[in-house]
Amino acid sequence: MTFIRKNKYRYITILFLFKAGKTSDPNVKKYQKLLKEANRLIFPVWWNDTSAIIKGFIDKVMKKQFAYNVGATGVIGHLKNIQRVEVMTTSTSPTWYLKMFCGSAIKSVFINSTLKQLGMKHIKWLSFDNIDKSSAQRRKQYLESLVQKI
């Protein structure tokens, strides 16, 4: 409680700015500039879902008016300049197992909801499955194939 009382005006300001789609954080402004100039994004994913750092990045940087607005039928994405997105995952489970039995949060939530709502198109999920059973040669080939795709 003491921590919040000492900083209550700072938190009120942050909430006010968030609601208005604005920020006072120079890093957020820098990332927004980079996103506006980008035509491609690459996201790493762990444990069948986006990591906290990526969720935090989306929450902090993808502000209303910058990345989206709200229309009559929902979110209208503004990041249409991003022509390609690669979501890269590694897993011990086979990809088919993740898709069929785990609900594929990567595809259904992160790709089909979050990224597409922000206006991004041509999103690919690149999965390296059974990584714990893979040989050094297979891992090397996978990394080399990523270099070719990027």
Side-chain angles (χ1 to χ4, degrees):
M1 286 296 226
T2 306
F3 179 76
I4 292 171
R5 269 191 250 134
K6 285 182 181 177
N7 295 300
K8 75 177 181 181
Y9 296 111
R10 179 174 173 257
Y11 292 113
I12 290 169
T13 302
I14 289 170
L15 290 173
F16 176 77
L17 289 171
F18 178 81
K19 186 172 179 2
K22 299 186 184 310
T23 185
S24 60
D25 185 335
N27 285 326
V28 170
K29 291 174 185 177
K30 178 179 84 175
Y31 294 137
Q32 287 177 337
K33 182 180 183 301
L34 291 170
L35 282 167
K36 276 298 181 188
E37 295 169 355
N39 63 1
R40 189 173 190 183
L41 292 178
I42 298 171
F43 286 99
V45 174
W46 299 270
W47 289 102
N48 308 315
D49 198 358
T50 53
S51 65
I53 198 164
I54 290 175
K55 287 179 183 182
F57 178 84
I58 289 170
D59 286 344
K60 250 189 121 136
V61 177
M62 305 301 184
K63 303 278 189 188
K64 187 161 65 168
Q65 296 177 23
F66 166 73
Y68 69 94
N69 270 321
V70 180
T73 57
V75 175
I76 301 165
H78 295 316
L79 297 178
K80 294 176 172 46
N81 58 296
I82 299 172
Q83 297 298 308
R84 288 179 59 189
V85 178
E86 278 90 16
V87 177
M88 298 177 185
T89 63
T90 60
S91 66
T92 55
S93 302
T95 303
W96 65 264
Y97 180 84
L98 295 175
K99 288 179 178 179
M100 291 186 71
F101 297 108
C102 298
S104 186
I106 295 159
K107 184 83 170 162
S108 63
V109 177
F110 186 59
I111 293 173
N112 288 340
S113 294
T114 305
L115 299 179
K116 285 187 178 178
Q117 281 184 321
L118 293 172
M120 298 178 203
K121 306 272 188 243
H122 308 289
I123 304 165
K124 255 191 201 173
W125 177 16
L126 307 170
S127 177
F128 186 112
D129 59 6
N130 294 315
I131 195 165
D132 60 325
K133 297 174 186 161
S134 67
S135 66
Q137 180 62 28
R138 182 171 174 243
R139 290 189 297 273
K140 182 180 177 194
Q141 287 172 338
Y142 177 72
L143 291 173
E144 288 170 353
S145 76
L146 291 179
V147 169
Q148 296 302 315
K149 290 174 184 166
I150 297 171

